[in-house]
Amino acid sequence: RLAQDPSPQTGYQQTSVWALRNQMARDSRDLLLLDVRPLEFSEQDAIEGAVRIPWPSIESGESLERVRALAGGKDVHVICQKGGWSAESSQFLVDRGIAVTDVKGGMDAWNEMQKASAFRSVVDFDPEAKRNTSEDPQSTHFFGIDKNSSIW
């Protein structure tokens, strides 16, 4: 999508990896995830469906028209390893009329989120479970974990 009203500071939006994952889970047909890390890094842990175009090839202009063609009508999100290259790429693309959203924290944040999600699926976090507090000293749950279970 073409940039409509870029911010005077950066010109692009930012989002968290959690918000990106939720958007991808809802409907990723209109989303373009652009991974700007070097190919040798992005092949190790690329997000399924991400388009891998290294930042130097975008900056040099070599891949700019490819990005422009892919971005047509899409909600473009840019990700790198930690956030630096994606921020530079985002500003570069916005300056050339392509609206993008920078993914804060990059793949490091994505991988941490994945670990946290995996942990949550192993441990039953029941938000309705009573906490062991002075208001309920007889509770057998602590943060959704049954204190009678084998992990205690």
Side-chain angles (χ1 to χ4, degrees), residues 12 19-20 35 42 62 72 80 98 107 131 133 137 142:
Y12 58 87
L20 173 62
D35 189 333
S42 63
E62 176 185 336
C80 65
I98 302 169
M107 287 303 297
R131 305 295 194 265
T133 67
F142 180 71

Side-chain angles (χ1 to χ4, degrees), residues 12-99:
Y12 58 87
Q13 299 292 316
Q14 288 191 310
T15 193
S16 70
V17 293
W18 293 92
L20 173 62
R21 185 182 73 169
N22 290 339
Q23 184 175 355
M24 291 172 70
R26 282 192 308 273
D27 185 11
S28 62
R29 288 176 293 172
D30 290 334
L31 186 134
L32 169 67
L33 180 58
L34 182 60
D35 189 333
V36 297
R37 297 177 294 162
L39 295 177
E40 61 270 17
F41 294 110
S42 63
E43 69 187 18
Q44 296 171 10
D45 63 352
I47 298 171
E48 186 177 336
V51 175
R52 297 167 33 214
I53 304 176
W55 161 232
S57 74
I58 297 170
E59 181 184 34
S60 72
E62 176 185 336
S63 299
L64 181 59
E65 290 311 310
R66 180 174 176 219
V67 171
R68 189 180 304 281
L70 291 167
K74 301 279 186 180
D75 187 5
V76 181
H77 286 66
V78 183
I79 194 165
C80 65
Q81 192 65 44
K82 297 179 186 293
W85 277 12
S86 64
E88 286 185 48
S89 298
S90 294
Q91 188 61 57
F92 182 86
L93 293 170
V94 164
D95 289 346
R96 279 140 190 90
I98 302 169

Side-chain angles (χ1 to χ4, degrees), residues 119-150:
F119 177 75
R120 284 194 188 123
S121 68
V122 171
V123 179
D124 178 24
F125 279 95
D126 178 1
E128 299 301 315
K130 294 182 180 179
R131 305 295 194 265
N132 186 10
T133 67
S134 58
E135 297 160 357
D136 186 13
Q138 303 303 314
S139 175
T140 60
H141 286 80
F142 180 71
F143 292 105
I145 302 170
D146 186 336
K147 288 198 271 181
N148 296 321
S149 74
S150 62

